[in-house]
Amino acid sequence: MIALISFKPLWVFRGQAVIAAAIGGLIAGLKLPLLLLLPMFVLGIRNNKDLFLLLFSVYALAIGYELEVSNLYELDLVKVLSVLIPTLLLLDAGLKSESEEETRGFTHAHELLIASGVTIAFVIGWFVSVVFVAAVFGALIYELSGDKARRGVFAALISSSLLLAALVLGQGLLNLEGGGATQAIFIAAVSTIIALMFLWRKRDRTEFKLYIRSGFIL
Amino acid sequence: MKREDILLTLVLLLFVQGYLFRNVLPALLASAILIYLIYLRAGFSPRIVSEREISRKLKDGERVKTKLRVKNLSNNRLKIEVLENLPAGFKAERPSLFLDAHEEKEVEYFITPVRGIFRLKEPMIRAKDLRGLYYEDFMRDSESAIEIEVYPNLDRIREETEAGKALRFKEAYQSLFGLQTPELDSLREFQPGDERRHIDWKATTRLGELIVRDFLKEREGDVYIVLDAGKEMRKGIKNSKIDFATTLTLQLAYALRNYRAGLIVYDDYGVKRVEAARTRGIEQVEKMAAQLKIGSIPANLMGIKSPMPVGIKIKEESRKFIKKILPAIKGRRSYATGLIEAISSLPSTAFLIFISDITANTSELIKILLELRKRYKILLLTPNPILFYDEARLDREKLIWLYERYKEREEVIKKLNGIVRTLDLGPSDLLETIRSRGVLE
């Protein structure tokens, strides 16, 4: 009961995302990006989304700098997913708003059980990578399911299926020795076309205002 | 720049990084982020309905509770921000709340209005996604706007009057007892209301705080209270200005008992005078009090105000003619005639305290004051009719009418202040101030 009151779901989620990113990074042998996790966690707690986004950009570029996959069709899927999914989980945790209910503490016992189970699975996953990937993927799906965004899920599924289909269809052309650059360009091209299909609709978008304490600097 | 642009820029950079470093991982990461953005954008389709409850009659400057019912018709959990689109001068809180899919909530917040009649639009409801990347504004059509009336807040006016009163009386007191000689009496600390030209800069530099010079008071000059007891001063049944003016006159007479004080009362029919006494003291105050037995409005004066029988219409020219000759028929004189007669026998130098209405015969009063200020030091005390108005008889039309008069009056006061020092007074003005200043002791 005490745990129910003292743990705040969003904080736990942010903590989990950071732990997942740290374990995933260690599995993939990353060093530099892990240094950014603590400041990102602090910014997530302080709900400073703009600064978090900047730091996340540096984090993502650092991952791309340290972890190398030269051929898409010969990649270590578990290793790549153990970096990609925690990165998305981290981004989602950092951007999510903290509602009143979420600052109060867990209201249902099953939420706490799931949160504890996922954290334990992360730790076990350090030794068994597949368990880690499954746990992180489960955690991401659980978090996104709270949005009840059916259209979003549908769009995401179509987008990923199209990308996957394109990569499978283009395997004959792309699976070449030293074809990393071509594969990257191919992924970029297909992703851009898919994005244009879904992002053409006009939306009001929130302003990016980088600020430090009370003074705006951007 | 938008938040989404940061992520899109990151996606672009990762694609470039993947190409330049011949590394597929940054491209995969970029695709994952792009799919995440697609998920968020496609999933964000808010639909909100809202309805506001607010009282139609508000008081100026008084916080009023507003209830807003907001319903989320979409399947998304949303962050809601209420952005009021209020007339200039209004203040409002900016409440925010979270709404689950198809949830309805009631939010209460406060609005601080300013006086006037306004059409109040429904607030704009901003629905944000939980990641803070997108939003959509919802606003009801202009037909949903409601008309609200914001009445002046009498308590606030009183408070403001109270706040400014101490300072104003200090000025008035200096005018009253400001018959100073150039002879230095003493030095003392600066008090609010002291004139800056009396600051002793040498002493201020020496002592490190503002020091002013006090001069010996000239106690030998005559002080005359000139009280207008005319028709305009007698208007009002419950709180007539003349009741207040007589009380004020008595208070002043008492406060001036150590001076050579006199009283002149004039109305539409004649002038009563109490000469400035050679001896000072309470006897003179009693003599003045005896002259303040002001009777009710003569019955023949009331005739003008009686309603016209239905069906009888008088032409404008005829009305003007009757208005001109009627006072003469009833034995009344013009305002200027009464006032000129009242001041005709004043000594060559005196301090005059006028207690008079300024709205009815403004031009005559200004002409006379312009003449008088050449010879006399004058203070004009004028009861503000708005502050004497019976609250129970207030309705919308009267309120608008009073407000218009109030604005006109402000202009007149400004003009008069350029001629002589003029103080606007309410029913509770001066009495307490005189007491608190110890002038009556």
Side-chain angles (χ1 to χ4, degrees):
Chain A
M1 206 57 209
I2 294 164
L4 271 173
I5 296 161
S6 56
F7 285 103
K8 291 158 180 125
L10 196 66
W11 286 27
V12 170
F13 174 46
R14 280 172 183 156
Q16 274 178 354
V18 170
I19 291 168
I23 294 172
L26 288 172
I27 289 169
L30 300 175
K31 290 177 195 123
L32 185 66
L34 302 187
L35 297 174
L36 298 169
L37 288 176
L38 189 68
M40 281 165 84
F41 178 67
V42 173
L43 289 173
I45 284 178
R46 291 174 70 107
N47 225 6
N48 190 340
K49 291 180 185 180
D50 301 298
L51 208 53
F52 172 85
L53 273 175
L54 275 194
L55 216 56
F56 177 81
S57 303
V58 178
Y59 173 77
L61 289 168
I63 289 174
Y65 180 73
E66 279 209 356
L67 188 64
E68 196 180 327
V69 177
S70 52
N71 191 339
L72 181 70
Y73 300 100
E74 288 169 14
L75 57 75
D76 181 354
L77 193 62
V78 175
K79 194 177 164 185
V80 168
L81 288 180
S82 64
V83 174
L84 284 188
I85 302 170
T87 306
L88 281 187
L89 197 65
L90 190 68
L91 174 62
D92 193 55
L95 288 180
K96 243 186 175 175
S97 296
E98 203 162 356
S99 71
E100 263 176 58
E101 294 84 22
E102 279 158 341
T103 53
R104 260 186 233 137
F106 285 104
T107 44
H108 303 293
H110 75 267
E111 285 176 351
L112 187 66
L113 280 175
I114 291 169
S116 323
V118 169
T119 314
I120 291 164
F122 287 171
V123 178
I124 295 168
W126 194 340
F127 307 103
V128 190
S129 304
V130 181
V131 175
F132 175 73
V133 171
V136 173
F137 189 68
L140 183 66
I141 297 296
Y142 178 73
E143 276 309 317
L144 297 183
S145 67
D147 299 338
K148 292 170 189 163
R150 281 183 223 154
R151 265 201 242 176
V153 173
F154 184 66
L157 279 177
I158 289 179
S159 313
S160 41
S161 308
L162 284 174
L163 181 64
L164 217 60
L167 288 173
V168 171
L169 288 171
Q171 192 177 359
L173 284 169
L174 301 167
N175 194 5
L176 301 168
E177 189 71 31
T182 320
Q183 287 168 10
I185 283 293
F186 183 77
I187 293 169
V190 175
S191 303
T192 309
I193 293 165
I194 293 168
L196 288 174
M197 277 166 61
F198 291 99
L199 301 184
W200 62 270
R201 204 172 144 192
K202 206 175 173 289
R203 276 253 168 265
D204 290 322
R205 302 177 307 157
T206 310
E207 205 67 40
F208 175 77
K209 283 179 196 156
L210 189 63
Y211 62 93
I212 291 171
R213 289 186 189 165
S214 56
F216 289 92
I217 58 167
L218 264 180
Chain B
M1 197 171 192
K2 314 289 176 186
R3 275 181 185 163
E4 194 192 37
D5 293 338
I6 297 289
L7 282 175
L8 289 173
T9 311
L10 172 64
V11 167
L12 180 74
L13 286 175
L14 284 170
F15 281 141
V16 172
Q17 189 188 33
Y19 174 72
L20 293 176
F21 287 78
R22 297 179 181 190
N23 187 358
V24 184
L25 188 97
L28 285 175
L29 187 56
S31 296
I33 294 169
L34 210 53
I35 291 171
Y36 176 72
L37 278 178
I38 290 171
Y39 162 80
L40 292 183
R41 199 185 248 236
F44 182 64
S45 53
R47 276 189 303 140
I48 298 287
V49 283
S50 64
E51 198 180 350
R52 188 205 351 230
E53 267 179 41
I54 189 167
S55 170
R56 300 283 177 113
K57 291 188 176 181
L58 311 174
K59 275 188 180 177
D60 175 31
E62 195 174 273
R63 274 160 40 108
V64 59
K65 201 188 263 182
T66 310
K67 275 185 192 173
L68 184 76
R69 262 197 305 279
V70 197
K71 192 175 182 183
N72 179 6
L73 299 175
S74 67
N75 292 319
N76 308 115
R77 184 174 159 74
L78 298 169
K79 188 182 181 186
I80 303 293
E81 273 180 19
V82 182
L83 306 169
E84 281 286 356
N85 187 11
L86 296 168
F90 277 56
K91 285 177 196 160
E93 291 172 348
R94 265 183 80 163
S96 66
L97 64 149
F98 286 85
L99 275 186
D100 277 326
H102 303 287
E103 192 187 7
E104 186 176 340
K105 267 188 188 170
E106 197 173 79
V107 59
E108 286 183 349
Y109 58 99
F110 289 93
I111 286 177
T112 314
V114 291
R115 66 184 156 210
I117 299 167
F118 304 96
R119 281 191 73 73
L120 205 63
K121 290 179 189 166
E122 284 278 316
M124 188 168 79
I125 308 293
R126 179 163 287 181
K128 285 182 168 180
D129 76 314
L130 291 189
R131 273 77 176 184
L133 292 180
Y134 310 110
Y135 67 88
E136 199 168 321
D137 294 332
F138 295 88
M139 200 164 170
R140 286 178 69 184
D141 49 11
S142 55
E143 284 172 18
S144 62
I146 53 164
E147 192 178 271
I148 59 158
E149 292 166 12
V150 187
Y151 293 90
N153 189 339
L154 293 176
D155 296 336
R156 202 166 159 226
I157 291 170
R158 263 179 217 132
E159 272 170 31
E160 280 169 5
T161 314
E162 199 65 39
K165 202 162 62 178
L167 204 62
R168 280 193 309 170
F169 186 70
K170 177 86 185 172
E171 285 171 21
Y173 183 81
Q174 282 192 343
S175 300
L176 273 171
F177 303 97
L179 307 165
Q180 293 166 335
T181 63
E183 222 172 308
L184 186 70
D185 187 8
S186 61
L187 293 174
R188 61 171 174 79
E189 276 181 38
F190 181 86
Q191 301 281 324
D194 280 338
E195 284 189 48
R196 267 181 287 180
R197 63 194 170 96
H198 289 162
I199 295 174
D200 188 319
W201 293 107
K202 272 185 190 171
T204 302
T205 321
R206 202 169 54 242
L207 297 170
E209 56 185 328
L210 281 175
I211 301 293
V212 286
R213 288 186 291 259
D214 250 355
F215 295 92
L216 285 172
K217 301 283 187 288
E218 172 63 78
R219 287 176 176 260
E220 299 310 313
D222 289 350
V223 182
Y224 273 91
I225 302 167
V226 186
L227 174 64
D228 172 10
K231 185 177 68 139
E232 285 302 321
M233 290 289 280
R234 292 165 192 246
K235 274 184 182 171
I237 296 164
K238 209 172 173 184
N239 298 313
S240 83
K241 285 176 274 180
I242 196 68
D243 293 336
F244 163 74
T246 47
T247 314
L248 181 62
T249 307
L250 280 175
Q251 286 169 5
L252 286 170
Y254 192 83
L256 295 166
R257 65 191 183 277
N258 294 328
Y259 292 77
R260 277 169 24 196
L263 172 71
I264 297 169
V265 185
Y266 67 96
D267 61 11
D268 307 294
Y269 299 95
V271 177
K272 293 179 196 172
R273 194 191 314 271
V274 177
E275 286 298 333
R278 298 298 108 189
T279 53
R280 299 156 187 165
I282 204 77
E283 277 176 36
Q284 180 72 356
V285 181
E286 281 168 4
K287 214 188 269 181
M288 286 188 196
Q291 288 299 324
L292 284 172
K293 282 176 189 164
I294 295 155
S296 58
I297 304 169
N300 55 355
L301 265 182
M302 301 294 283
I304 300 168
K305 290 275 170 193
S306 62
M308 200 64 72
V310 185
I312 299 174
K313 281 190 178 174
I314 300 173
K315 282 185 184 171
E316 191 56 35
E317 296 81 38
S318 315
R319 195 187 292 275
K320 276 181 187 166
F321 177 72
I322 291 170
K323 207 173 173 183
K324 227 173 190 177
I325 61 152
L326 207 62
I329 295 166
K330 293 185 176 180
R332 285 167 62 208
R333 286 95 42 88
S334 72
Y335 174 83
T337 318
L339 185 53
I340 290 164
E341 193 188 323
I343 58 169
S344 58
S345 58
L346 281 171
S348 56
T349 53
F351 184 88
L352 305 183
I353 303 169
F354 274 91
I355 303 173
S356 174
D357 176 75
I358 58 165
T359 41
N361 305 293
T362 317
S363 53
E364 286 102 322
L365 184 67
I366 288 174
K367 270 180 211 161
I368 288 164
L369 287 175
L370 279 169
E371 266 314 302
L372 284 175
R373 76 170 181 176
K374 291 173 190 165
R375 281 189 292 153
Y376 304 102
K377 204 166 185 182
I378 302 165
L379 172 70
L380 176 61
L381 305 175
T382 171
N384 188 338
I386 289 133
L387 301 174
F388 287 85
Y389 211 85
D390 190 359
E391 255 181 78
R393 289 162 60 209
L394 276 182
D395 56 27
R396 188 179 154 173
E397 278 70 37
K398 283 207 180 84
L399 207 61
I400 294 168
W401 181 82
L402 272 178
Y403 182 63
E404 292 302 321
R405 299 290 85 74
Y406 178 80
K407 282 201 288 189
E408 281 170 20
R409 190 182 164 81
E410 286 286 295
E411 287 301 310
V412 176
I413 292 271
K414 212 183 276 176
K415 203 184 277 181
L416 281 168
N417 255 318
I419 302 166
V420 294
R421 186 168 289 169
T422 308
L423 294 182
D424 211 16
L425 303 173
S428 58
D429 257 344
L430 225 52
L431 173 68
E432 288 306 314
T433 322
I434 291 172
R435 279 208 187 112
S436 69
R437 289 274 163 179
V439 181
L440 289 175
E441 271 77 49

